[in-house]
Amino acid sequence: MEYTELNNGIKMPTVGIGVFTFTPEEAEKSVEAALKSGYHLVDTANAYVNERGTGRGIKNSGVKREDVFVSTKLWPTEYENENAINETLERLGLDYIDLLFLHQPAGNWRAGYRQLEKAYKDGKIKAIGISNFEGKYLDELLAECEITPQVMQVECHPYFTQVETRKITEPKGIKIMAWYPLGHGDKSLVQEPIFAKLAEKYGKTPAQIILKWHNQMGFIVIPGSRNPEHIKENADIFDFELTDEEMAEIAKLDKGVRYYNGTDEQLASYATWQPDYEKE
Ligand code: NAD
């Protein structure tokens, strides 16, 4: 497994498993399978209502705590809850979090960010992340924060490569962590002819070619899968290298089109929708 160094010196694995849309039981099984097959990075969120399952998967894997990099996300309804980080730790069954995000630029995100900064200073979290803070939100946060975030988690794949965001994050050493790295199951992305051609050339699958492209772009990836074969396959991308010409050919797929086009109303609604943690 490969690691990248964050702007605070912390080392973070570049490939992990994401458990969005997984039931707690699915998260438990998939996280256990991933860690047992050599993964070291797991990404969940308060809003996925599977942090307890994720924590059980980590325990069941038998992998030592220091060898697992856990990222999770505070939901906007938690930004003013001063016990939110302790409650998150309790659900995960952990005593620190490697990377904690603000999930959305909604609600009182300034209060949420101050909580992250305090938890970072207290050693409860090892790195700070922001998720979906694009455009004006990123500008405002960077102008106001005391501690520059280490990671930005955003939609990112060959159809949408976050050109504008990267102009701001790259100079500050903020790593991009790509959500929907494989297009969230959209067949048209995985079936682009360029990926079939390169899969044939390198003896890999189209999904592996896409993940390798992310890796060479410097993006951290967290593909979601409940399938043990796919889980193994998604981390097996370190024995080949795409050429500059191949990277340039893939770059032509960037249409600047996202899968998720949330409205301002949707974003505002995140400030009141409360995850039901008792469902786990
Ligand atoms: P993804 O792009 O990872 O695609 C998952 C789909 O690809 C599933 O249908 C899966 O069956 C398929 N797949 C996985 N491996 C495959 C393989 N080797 N071959 C063929 N098909 C394969 O999308 P996702 O799972 O929705 O997103 C990944 C992660 O990103 C989430 O689990 C979550 O951690 C994160 N995420 C974050 C946000 C956010 O707002 N921060 C939003 C969405 C997702």
Side-chain angles (χ1 to χ4, degrees), residues 18-20 43 131-132 153 179-184 222 224 233-234:
V19 295
F20 174 45
D43 182 67
S131 173
N132 303 310
Q153 190 177 122
W179 60 257
Y180 286 5
L182 295 174
H184 193 53
I222 37 164
E233 178 184 318
N234 292 344

Side-chain angles (χ1 to χ4, degrees), residues 17-22 43-44 48 73 103-104 131-132 153-154 178-187 190 205 207-208 211 222-227 229-231 233-234:
I17 183 158
V19 295
F20 174 45
T21 75
F22 287 25
D43 182 67
T44 180
Y48 302 169
K73 313 179 192 86
H103 202 150
Q104 300 285 350
S131 173
N132 303 310
Q153 190 177 122
V154 274
W179 60 257
Y180 286 5
L182 295 174
H184 193 53
D186 169 38
K187 294 277 179 285
V190 184
T205 66
Q208 287 174 312
L211 295 171
I222 37 164
S225 179
R226 298 163 177 83
N227 173 333
E229 287 312 310
H230 283 167
I231 291 174
E233 178 184 318
N234 292 344

